[in-house]
Amino acid sequence: MALYQLPTGTYETRAAFAFKGGAFRDKRRFAATAVLVRHPKGDLLVDAGFGADVAAHVRAQPRLARAPYSAARTASDQLDAAGYDRSRLSGVLLTHTHWDHVGGLDQLDVPIWINPGELRYAAEARDGRVFRTVSKGHEIRRYDFTDAPYLGFASSFDVYADGAVVVALAGGHTTGSVIVFITLPDGRRYAFIGDLAWQLEGVTRLAERPLLMRKLADSDEGQVRQGLRRVAALAGRMQIVPSHDLGSYDGIAPLVAR
Ligand SMILES: [Zn+2]
């Protein structure tokens, strides 16, 4: 088993909009990064990053949400450059269905692993539009949270039934937002928390999103706050990776081109 990061690009957001107490002059590059989990029973990508159509996906956002972005190679291109055997890829497991996490599905012809709550959210929400476009033609692999409570989260889904990849329902940002917990055989542990926080300060300082962004970006701010507290309590035991915090991926190897 192994873990790789596939950075597909970044977009610019001011810290003042990302978390309470962030400075306006503090420009952050938000990561759009897919994570490849290699597992003997089949590999998974956690999120898909930017796709080939990133320009159109940005244009599909409300004016206020559009940001200057810089696209790198897509996850699909990085897999090919590394000589990756696509038949090993069982699907893309989504932390949630927002555009900056799903765009890369436009080049990845594999099943989408998603829970029913998030699928419903994506079908109805205004910000599910990019997902509705890029998910067309994909097999949908629905999973439920039928496994035991996990690290303070009430319900979970143990993907390989071996504790290596455990998905917990966090909710709050979107109805079916999840945290993907990964434990490598050497004991290293990770929590990919999606957009529960946009930057690590959301966890390390419990600095939640500013009021306006909570109202605009979250479906249940109380649930986000509860999730952040739970994750903060785990920070000493594992590497916490908010999807958009570039530095939080440190130590996770890139997929090397052959
Ligand atoms: Zn996001």
Side-chain angles (χ1 to χ4, degrees):
M1 202 187 154
L3 205 56
Y4 300 93
Q5 57 164 313
L6 287 65
T8 68
T10 57
Y11 57 97
E12 203 174 88
T13 306
R14 290 176 187 275
F17 299 127
F19 57 90
K20 254 184 178 169
F24 188 74
R25 64 175 182 284
D26 180 3
K27 282 186 192 165
R28 300 281 172 111
R29 284 164 62 219
F30 270 34
T33 296
V35 169
L36 176 67
V37 187
R38 304 209 62 168
H39 188 282
K41 289 187 188 160
D43 302 346
L44 279 175
L45 281 170
V46 178
D47 287 344
F50 289 161
D53 245 351
V54 59
H57 298 160
V58 169
R59 276 198 307 273
Q61 303 312 307
R63 277 269 292 280
L64 192 74
R66 279 179 228 160
Y69 69 94
S70 136
R73 283 186 309 169
T74 62
S76 172
D77 290 347
Q78 292 180 55
L79 293 174
D80 287 346
Y84 177 80
D85 172 9
R86 291 279 180 120
S87 71
R88 294 211 47 81
L89 193 57
S90 317
V92 177
L93 170 63
L94 297 176
T95 61
H96 63 297
T97 49
H98 283 159
W99 73 277
D100 44 341
H101 301 256
V102 304
L105 286 167
D106 63 2
Q107 293 179 308
L108 294 161
D109 186 18
V110 293
I112 298 170
W113 293 48
I114 189 168
N115 62 77
E118 188 62 9
L119 199 54
R120 221 177 309 119
Y121 174 89
E124 292 162 5
R126 187 183 191 284
D127 53 18
R129 215 188 313 168
V130 170
F131 174 80
R132 295 196 288 274
T133 304
V134 295
S135 62
K136 276 195 190 104
H138 286 257
E139 181 190 330
I140 300 291
R141 191 77 58 83
R142 278 184 193 74
Y143 64 84
D144 289 296
F145 300 97
T146 49
D147 294 312
Y150 191 78
L151 298 173
F153 291 86
S155 53
S156 73
F157 165 54
D158 185 343
V159 175
Y160 303 103
D162 62 357
V165 180
V166 178
V167 186
L169 178 64
H173 183 56
T174 61
T175 315
S177 280
V178 300
I179 298 176
V180 182
F181 291 99
I182 295 183
T183 306
L184 296 179
D186 65 10
R188 275 180 296 164
R189 300 184 78 175
Y190 303 84
F192 294 93
I193 67 168
D195 284 6
L196 193 61
W198 279 332
Q199 298 284 283
L200 261 179
E201 284 88 343
V203 177
T204 55
R205 289 198 224 148
L206 286 178
E208 60 184 355
R209 275 185 271 279
L211 180 69
L212 177 68
M213 301 318 275
R214 296 205 300 278
K215 300 298 177 201
L216 290 176
D218 293 335
S219 58
D220 181 338
E221 57 177 294
Q223 222 174 358
V224 171
R225 212 168 281 141
Q226 191 179 43
L228 284 177
R229 270 192 230 108
R230 288 202 176 112
V231 168
L234 302 171
R237 294 164 64 185
M238 59 189 73
Q239 186 166 337
I240 310 291
V241 187
S243 290
H244 299 310
D245 191 299
L246 261 186
S248 73
Y249 293 86
D250 281 359
I252 303 174
L255 202 57
V256 178
R258 271 212 306 230

